[in-house]
Amino acid sequence: MSKLRIAAFASGRGSNLAAILEAIERGSLNCEVVLVMSNKRDAGALAIAAEHGIPALHLAAEQFASPQEFDQRLLDALAEHKTEMIVLAGYLKKINPSIIRAYRNRILNIHPALLPAFGGKGMYGRNVHQAVLDYGCKVTGVTVHLVDEEYDRGPPVLQRCVPVQEDDSAESLAARVLVEEHKIFSEALQLFAEGRVEVRGRRVVIRDRQ
Ligand code: GRF
């Protein structure tokens, strides 16, 4: 089976990107990362891409005269690398509608909580885990979901629970959630690589392996 060609967008350290690359190297993920794009020149994700010989692109909206020009440059890069899916691996910018339209149901995001709880604007990084603790939740988790026009609103593909412990800080909770993130993102991508994902409205149905 041919490899699913994915582009990763990332703003930060890139540990989810690194986990995806490890899963590919282990042979448990039938994908190829064909492009890494970041809005931050110094993002760890761009360095990881360079180490792996993956084309790395720094693209920020500020470099362009209009959102349309930014989108076109991005769409051109995605097309140039024959991108089939996009993963948002810690990408903190909103995806513009023209990109969503071009890759409808083919953009995945990972969120470090069980959506729709603790999602939306401002809910990223430490804020998410602190909000979970402040609410007094007993469980949190990870959501891999399709991306639509709103932050953290697209339908879930996979979710996994992580128990909150009595002595958790935002940092300790983030660290345990991250362990699950690193597994579940590749699992979700592999489902797409195997052609087992069917989107029925908000229900993302995972078909059995043939
Ligand atoms: C992760 O916690 C992810 O859930 C969120 O952003 C963070 C990115 O971390 N969307 P990393 O850059 O992959 O290490």
Side-chain angles (χ1 to χ4, degrees):
M1 220 201 294
S2 66
K3 292 184 176 163
L4 182 67
R5 299 174 65 81
I6 58 178
F9 297 178
S11 301
R13 64 191 162 181
S15 73
N16 276 288
L17 170 64
I20 287 169
L21 292 169
E22 276 162 34
I24 293 171
E25 280 156 22
R26 270 201 313 275
S28 53
L29 178 55
N30 192 32
C31 290
E32 182 179 350
V33 180
V34 294
L35 175 70
V36 174
M37 187 282 277
S38 182
N39 58 314
K40 298 266 184 217
R41 192 184 296 283
D42 59 354
L46 289 182
I48 292 170
E51 278 162 28
H52 284 78
I54 298 167
L57 186 62
H58 167 235
L59 270 193
E62 307 80 70
Q63 299 162 340
F64 296 86
S66 69
Q68 290 75 14
E69 280 180 33
F70 171 71
D71 288 359
Q72 197 51 57
R73 175 71 183 88
L74 188 50
L75 285 170
D76 289 347
L78 292 166
E80 182 193 335
H81 296 283
K82 300 187 175 65
T83 305
E84 295 173 293
M85 277 199 78
I86 299 169
V87 295
L88 308 185
Y91 186 64
L92 295 177
K93 293 282 176 187
K94 199 144 179 204
I95 304 296
N96 288 333
S98 66
I99 311 287
I100 308 252
R101 270 196 302 277
Y103 284 86
R104 176 73 65 195
N105 291 341
R106 291 188 294 146
I107 310 177
L108 282 183
N109 182 42
I110 187 155
H111 185 75
L114 294 173
L115 291 174
F118 306 109
K121 205 165 166 46
M123 277 293 169
Y124 61 88
R126 190 182 188 284
N127 298 352
V128 177
H129 307 289
Q130 191 59 54
V132 166
L133 292 175
D134 290 347
Y135 197 86
C137 289
K138 300 296 184 185
V139 289
T140 182
V142 185
T143 303
V144 176
H145 67 95
L146 293 168
V147 172
D148 69 8
E149 287 78 359
E150 280 306 315
Y151 277 119
D152 298 332
R153 187 186 65 179
V157 177
L158 291 179
Q159 292 190 295
R160 195 148 298 155
C161 291
V162 174
V164 176
Q165 293 173 359
E166 305 300 343
D167 58 352
D168 260 330
S169 61
E171 287 70 28
S172 64
L173 189 53
R176 283 206 320 291
V177 169
L178 193 63
V179 172
E180 291 308 318
E181 290 186 46
H182 290 166
K183 297 178 198 159
I184 196 175
F185 216 175
S186 298
E187 288 173 27
L189 276 169
Q190 181 61 13
L191 295 173
F192 282 90
E194 292 174 3
R196 293 170 55 197
V197 180
E198 194 184 311
V199 183
R200 299 184 194 154
R202 279 205 67 85
R203 301 292 299 273
V204 177
V205 178
I206 311 297
R207 287 191 300 259
D208 287 341
R209 202 175 266 119
Q210 294 301 306

